[in-house]
Amino acid sequence: MPNPANQERSALAGSVALLLALPALLFALITWQVVADGPLVRLDERLSRVLVNPDRCSELLADLGNIQVAVPVLAVALGYVAVRHRRAGADRWWLPVAAAAVLMALIPALVVPLKALMARPGTPAEPPGTGYYPSGHTATAAVAYGTATLLLLPLLRTALARRALTTLCVALVLGASYGLVRRGYHWPLDVVASWCLCAVLLSSLWLFVKTVTKPGGSQPPGP
């Protein structure tokens, strides 16, 4: 007779493999197109010419991806999560928080070498230069707001609260991404590539948290 626990683990493994494989493949495809100056790059440039229209609103939205904005939001969320889990006596309460902090610190370690290696020129709205692929501001926003959401969701009791938090996270990331393209700070593919990279990173964090959290362990009560 099939073991329900084994079936659940198999289903989880399949979902995680899909979450990791699809964005990784898309990231590889986009990177190849940028290196080869392929048809996606030419489409990207045409799309950028349509979308770019620098204004104050787009600049403010792009600022959502600044380290000075996104990282303090993540720090507050991690502090709250740590206090809640510690007060509840959760096993290894500090481990998910530490993993999230390490993931945030990995962003420049991953993105900066990629920028230097790819040396993609910026849009006409930017001064001449290279190092625009992938978008560091998009990655900062996606990992900061995404990580905060992943760790806060289990603390929320109602589906409505969880949907509201998820919607807010998506709005912040999409807002920053749109602002970066609209302002001309980045090509659209720079942003999409960062989405793919961060999807892999956030999926890995989610898998790690699921692995290190005991199913029957102490859980902090919802607010």
Side-chain angles (χ1 to χ4, degrees), residues 3-217:
N3 188 323
N6 289 337
Q7 289 180 330
E8 184 178 351
R9 281 194 292 269
S10 298
L12 177 62
S15 299
V16 170
L18 191 62
L19 285 172
L20 294 174
L22 288 179
L25 286 173
L26 184 55
F27 179 80
L29 171 63
I30 295 171
T31 302
W32 166 59
Q33 285 290 289
V34 171
V35 169
D37 194 25
L40 274 183
V41 171
R42 292 188 288 277
L43 178 62
D44 188 39
E45 292 170 351
R46 288 198 296 271
L47 181 60
S48 179
R49 285 193 292 269
V50 172
L51 293 176
V52 170
N53 184 20
D55 55 21
R56 181 59 178 162
C57 181
S58 62
E59 191 165 346
L60 290 174
L61 287 173
D63 286 345
L64 291 171
N66 284 350
I67 290 176
Q68 299 91 330
V69 176
V71 172
V73 172
L74 176 61
V76 170
L78 294 186
Y80 176 75
V81 170
V83 169
R84 288 286 303 279
H85 280 288
R86 186 177 183 183
R87 285 180 177 173
D91 295 329
R92 294 184 288 184
W93 58 267
W94 52 270
L95 199 51
V97 172
V102 169
L103 185 63
M104 190 71 247
L106 276 177
I107 290 301
L110 291 172
V111 171
V112 171
L114 279 171
K115 284 177 173 288
L117 181 64
M118 300 301 295
R120 188 183 190 191
T123 72
E126 283 291 280
T130 59
Y132 287 85
Y133 179 92
S135 167
H137 281 70
T138 303
T140 297
V143 168
Y145 304 133
T147 297
T149 300
L150 283 177
L151 295 189
L152 287 170
L153 280 176
L155 304 181
L156 302 178
R157 282 182 176 175
T158 68
L160 178 61
R162 290 190 289 272
R163 282 196 296 269
L165 179 61
T166 303
T167 301
L168 176 61
C169 172
V170 171
L172 289 172
V173 175
L174 290 181
S177 303
Y178 174 79
L180 290 165
V181 173
R182 184 73 168 174
R183 177 59 181 76
Y185 287 140
H186 279 287
W187 305 100
L189 281 183
D190 301 345
V191 169
V192 176
S194 285
W195 289 348
C196 297
L197 179 62
C198 292
V200 173
L201 295 175
L202 291 171
S203 298
S204 301
L205 176 67
W206 175 75
L207 177 62
F208 176 78
V209 171
K210 292 278 289 185
T211 302
V212 301
T213 303
K214 286 186 177 181

